[in-house]
Amino acid sequence: MSLDQREHIDEEAFDKEAQELLALPLDQLRMKDNEWQKFDRPCPPSNDYVYSIQLLGDITGKKILDYGCGNGWLSVILAKRGGLVWGFDTSGQSIEVAKKRAVANNLEERTAFAKMSAYKLDYENAMFDLVIGQGILHHLEIGTVAGELARVLKKGGRAVFSEPFGDSKVLQAVRNLVPVALNVYEGSQERQLTYQDVAQLAVPFSRFVCKELQLLSRLDRVFSGKRIRRSLNRADKLLLDTFPALRRYARVIVVELTK
């Protein structure tokens, strides 16, 4: 399947998901203060979403690219926290939601959204201080997008991605024996990133760092109690920090790249 065909499948699927949000009145797209202020608090163990955003540091006045911005939720958070945010996505309907969400939060002057492909970014060279993406790379051909990603980053700029991870053949065999139903649409190219993917992504960059998260917390599909989940998360941090060999069994990975 060609890259264009893959993107078209993704576009159709996410366009459908965006329709419901696009129909909402503006007041229902207004973000609560807690949704963007919570990143000032300590990161809960194993929370890749919070960790990846906190990894950006102080973003006041920084030019930031929300890579695969979807409906603009993260873009609004970044703009609320002082960033100047550009966002792109292959889904035109999602981009319309993102624009509407920016209006609802009075952030039209701090955000700019456009429909485009990750394989051909319509941005100037060295335009951004920071790039961030949440669950986007596993839809893409990593080796093909790496160069474009590096091109739009300034020298010394950083890119941070949080992605589903799976680098264990043993764990994959277990998944095949005991499959878990996933919300994956027909024709999807979704997969889990591996260390080989990360190595490909890092080629045009001077430095990269990986943080693997969620080991025992995979059991959240079995245990739903908050107390049990907190215990599993604390155990995750201890095990992953103490025993590096266990990291390839983690569920998610946060990758930080420096140009």
Side-chain angles (χ1 to χ4, degrees):
M1 184 181 292
S2 70
L3 296 180
D4 287 342
Q5 288 173 317
R6 291 186 189 184
E7 284 201 308
H8 183 65
I9 290 171
D10 286 340
E11 178 183 351
E12 287 187 334
F14 290 114
D15 276 351
K16 289 180 181 178
E17 290 183 7
Q19 290 298 323
E20 185 175 345
L21 289 174
L22 201 53
L24 292 176
L26 284 179
D27 64 317
Q28 291 190 37
L29 293 174
R30 197 164 295 126
M31 185 173 289
K32 297 179 181 178
D33 289 347
N34 176 63
E35 295 296 338
W36 60 274
Q37 292 176 349
K38 66 183 180 182
F39 300 97
D40 294 322
R41 299 193 291 271
C43 179
S46 295
N47 192 315
D48 58 297
Y49 174 65
V50 174
Y51 176 76
S52 61
I53 295 172
Q54 290 184 341
L55 202 56
L56 298 178
D58 182 3
I59 61 174
T60 304
K62 298 289 182 65
K63 291 184 176 181
I64 308 170
L65 176 60
D66 187 354
Y67 193 96
C69 65
N71 61 44
W73 178 265
L74 177 57
S75 297
V76 166
I77 287 174
L78 297 171
K80 287 273 193 183
R81 296 183 64 78
L84 302 173
V85 186
W86 284 256
F88 78 90
D89 201 277
T90 188
S91 164
Q93 292 298 298
S94 294
I95 289 297
E96 292 306 311
V97 176
K99 291 177 180 178
K100 187 173 179 178
R101 194 186 296 280
V103 171
N105 289 277
N106 300 314
L107 292 169
E108 305 100 304
E109 295 184 1
R110 301 190 67 85
T111 57
F113 299 100
K115 180 182 184 299
M116 70 178 71
S117 168
Y119 300 105
K120 188 173 176 57
L121 298 175
D122 190 22
Y123 300 118
E124 297 177 2
N125 294 346
M127 180 171 172
F128 299 106
D129 301 293
L130 297 163
V131 175
I132 186 168
Q134 298 282 339
I136 178 64
L137 293 177
H138 69 288
H139 291 277
L140 304 172
E141 181 65 42
I142 303 296
T144 307
V145 299
E148 272 292 89
L149 172 62
R151 180 184 66 80
V152 300
L153 261 178
K154 294 179 180 178
K155 182 67 175 176
R158 293 181 297 125
V160 177
F161 293 94
S162 174
E163 295 289 331
F165 179 67
D167 200 64
S168 165
K169 293 181 179 179
V170 173
L171 194 56
Q172 187 58 52
V174 172
R175 290 194 193 99
N176 293 337
L177 288 172
V178 189
V180 176
L182 299 175
N183 184 25
V184 176
Y185 47 86
E186 184 178 357
S188 169
Q189 299 300 308
E190 288 191 38
R191 59 192 179 83
Q192 293 167 312
L193 257 64
T194 65
Y195 286 128
Q196 183 177 355
D197 292 319
V198 174
Q200 277 191 301
L201 183 66
V203 168
F205 293 88
S206 63
R207 178 177 178 270
F208 75 95
V209 178
C210 296
K211 177 73 171 179
E212 299 85 350
L213 297 164
Q214 301 181 20
L215 185 64
L216 296 179
S217 55
R218 289 175 176 276
L219 296 173
D220 60 8
R221 291 167 175 163
V222 179
F223 301 106
S224 57
K226 289 184 179 179
R227 183 176 296 179
I228 294 176
R229 287 186 177 185
R230 284 197 295 267
S231 296
L232 291 174
N233 287 337
R234 287 194 293 269
D236 272 356
K237 178 170 174 36
L238 177 62
L239 288 170
L240 292 170
D241 287 349
T242 307
F243 303 104
L246 293 176
R247 293 174 187 171
R248 67 171 57 251
Y249 300 100
R251 180 162 60 182
V252 295
I253 190 169
V254 175
V255 183
E256 179 187 12
L257 305 120
T258 303
K259 184 173 177 183

